Amino acid sequence: MTTKRPLLIGTVTLDYLHEGPVGRALPPAALRWGGVIHNVACAMAARGSGPLLLTADYTGDLAPAVNAHLAAHGVDRIALPVPTPLPLFEAQLLDGSVVDKHFVGQEALDLLTPELLGTRADLFDEASVIVSGTDGHPATLAWLCATARERGVPFWLLSADPTEVHKLVPEGEQATFVSLNARELALWAGTEVPGLPALSEHEAISAARKLVPADGHALVTLGVQGSVLVPGDGGPLLHQPAPTIDGQPLTVGAGDILFACLLAARLSSTPWAEALREAASLTTKYLAASTFAALRRAVPTGR
């Protein structure tokens, strides 16, 4: 009998983060592995979820380093037979936040077409959950939604960028779970998003419910105010305070990790409120240490 496992579809990127304008990189600068679904995969692996990452086949001198990096973090990868250069993400930072960016490598995502993914139906048959980000092609995301529904497994969708909110309901298909931030919700809803507690009764929450089916959930991150879990069936919101370090709320770089740790907890049948609390706590540990090792379970979990 095959053990079902999370199937993640996306890309690995090489991130170059620095002060100063894009194209005029100024110190301090950092070079690291990135990509939203890469981040989710590594975080889930640290939680013992055993994810399988499906990507294009990277070319170039750094291509062999990708598998070594993923293996070191406990992530298995299958490269589909579509060669493409390893994507590069360049970003200017200000106080740790991205203020300008340039991505070279959309091809690595657009090559993952429904036709190509359909050649590996066996991987989808063995998936416990299907996961992707809105940086993927809309047709592919719609196909993933439908494929997950046909197999009776959840499809979790992570908003990758405010410019991609039109893909939150790709071609009219709804994911089981959608995670986005307040700015992305404002763009999706076409209205300003107030803070808590006013948000609870605001029209933006009604818009958030339209992202998912009645049995689904949307997670909206609110910066220093934490996050709210929005049930698709109209039920009450669940609020989780922001992760903190030394009493200060963390607002930068938490979304991918919160998403991953929440999913890992839900795969273990942890109730939503407890799963969200655990995910927030683990996000604090990760941001304090800036390493996926901070998310590892105290007792190793077998796959």
Side-chain angles (χ1 to χ4, degrees), residues 82-300:
V82 281
T84 183
L86 180 67
L88 174 67
F89 176 74
E90 182 189 4
Q92 177 193 353
L93 302 181
L94 180 63
D95 297 327
S97 295
V98 173
V99 295
D100 193 13
K101 59 192 174 185
H102 183 58
F103 180 61
V104 181
Q106 187 61 39
E107 179 184 36
L109 289 156
D110 291 346
L111 285 170
L112 301 177
T113 63
E115 292 75 20
L116 178 66
L117 295 172
T119 64
R120 293 306 309 264
D122 58 309
L123 300 179
F124 292 90
D125 292 340
E126 297 166 4
S128 57
V129 60
I130 299 172
V131 183
S132 195
T134 57
D135 48 359
H137 193 280
T140 297
L141 298 178
W143 183 87
L144 291 172
C145 280
T147 298
R149 184 174 62 250
E150 290 166 3
R151 286 163 171 76
V153 299
F155 176 55
W156 280 45
L157 181 62
L158 175 59
S159 184
D161 191 277
T163 65
E164 316 250 293
V165 295
H166 62 288
K167 302 183 197 175
L168 291 170
V169 183
E171 300 185 355
E173 294 281 356
Q174 292 176 311
T176 314
F177 182 92
V178 173
S179 179
L180 69 167
N181 62 33
R183 181 185 174 196
E184 291 159 345
L185 177 59
L187 291 169
W188 163 255
T191 181
E192 292 297 319
V193 172
L196 295 172
L199 179 58
S200 299
E201 303 299 327
H202 194 267
E203 60 184 302
I205 292 300
S206 297
R209 296 190 198 277
K210 295 177 182 177
L211 293 170
V212 295
D215 60 348
H217 292 79
L219 179 69
V220 183
T221 55
L222 304 169
V224 296
Q225 290 197 307
S227 59
V228 290
L229 187 68
V230 184
D233 63 4
L237 307 186
L238 177 63
H239 175 240
Q240 174 62 41
T244 61
I245 293 180
D246 297 329
Q248 299 299 313
L250 296 168
T251 61
V252 178
D256 301 354
I257 306 304
L258 186 68
F259 176 94
C261 292
L262 180 61
L263 176 51
R266 287 295 298 163
L267 288 173
S268 300
S269 300
T270 304
W272 280 106
E274 183 182 343
L276 191 53
R277 284 194 301 271
E278 177 185 295
S281 174
L282 288 166
T283 300
T284 297
K285 291 181 180 179
Y286 170 80
L287 292 177
S290 296
T291 170
F292 294 109
L295 304 175
R296 289 178 184 158
R297 295 184 184 275
V299 178

Side-chain angles (χ1 to χ4, degrees), residues 27-61:
L31 191 64
R32 70 184 189 191
W33 297 107
V36 292
I37 296 303
H38 156 272
N39 296 340
V40 171
C42 289
M44 291 186 71
R47 296 303 297 156
S49 298
L52 176 61
L53 178 58
L54 204 56
T55 74
D57 187 14
Y58 304 124
T59 60
D61 292 345

